[in-house]
Amino acid sequence: MKKDLNGKITRGTQRTLDAFFDAMTALLQTKPFADISVNELCERAGYPRATFYNYFEDRDDLLTYCWIALSQRADSADLASVESSRRVDVALDAMADLLESNTAMLHAVLAHNPPDGPLFASLHRFIEHNARQLMLTCVDRDRFDLPADLIADHYANTLLLVLDWAYLRGHTLTRAQLHDYVHTLLRGVE
């Protein structure tokens, strides 16, 4: 992204980012990501192409911003301060809450973008990276003889596997079942 999201963001910048976020999410609910043009995004957002390119390199860059904006809405607790035996559950709940709070949008997007298509491949890469970083910060290094980054990858991939299976592939699970599935799959490490 051309704009630094770590610094102070002005109201005007936030308004512009919100407009492009809204344009992308609205269009994704009506057509495949591959069929969305920069012109459509600009028209829908109410900004000229020059503004788009002041903020984003291309549509993929905007899509990455959309993932960032959605993930910021998740209630992600500081996992390092959570008791180690509850960290996986807290991370799973934060991710599940985000997916559940956006169920209508998710279903509309799924209607036009298959789970094995480029849109969800991008989402999967984004979540995998962030889940790995999140899990890496809270791995109890003294508890295992394995490298922390390997354990973080295993935990992140397991969380993603269960969330993908439940929310993107349409297998309805209760929250208790989500937790049970994750813990059952992680038993080899725990």
Side-chain angles (χ1 to χ4, degrees), residues 101-148:
S101 67
N102 292 287
T103 300
M105 179 177 68
L106 184 60
H107 286 295
V109 171
L110 277 169
H112 300 283
N113 295 275
D116 57 349
L119 174 76
F120 286 101
S122 169
L123 176 59
H124 190 270
R125 282 189 306 276
F126 177 80
I127 293 173
E128 183 176 39
H129 171 77
N130 286 308
R132 182 184 186 281
Q133 294 304 111
L134 189 65
M135 297 311 296
L136 190 57
T137 64
C138 65
V139 168
D140 186 357
R141 297 171 198 278
D142 297 331
R143 197 169 145 212
F144 303 105
D145 291 332
L146 299 170

Side-chain angles (χ1 to χ4, degrees), residues 125-176:
R125 282 189 306 276
F126 177 80
I127 293 173
E128 183 176 39
H129 171 77
N130 286 308
R132 182 184 186 281
Q133 294 304 111
L134 189 65
M135 297 311 296
L136 190 57
T137 64
C138 65
V139 168
D140 186 357
R141 297 171 198 278
D142 297 331
R143 197 169 145 212
F144 303 105
D145 291 332
L146 299 170
D149 56 342
L150 178 61
I151 297 166
D153 283 347
H154 177 67
Y155 275 53
N157 288 328
T158 301
L159 289 175
L160 283 175
L161 177 68
V162 173
L163 291 168
D164 177 85
W165 195 78
Y167 293 99
L168 299 182
R169 307 220 183 253
H171 298 93
T172 304
L173 298 177
T174 66
R175 192 59 69 97

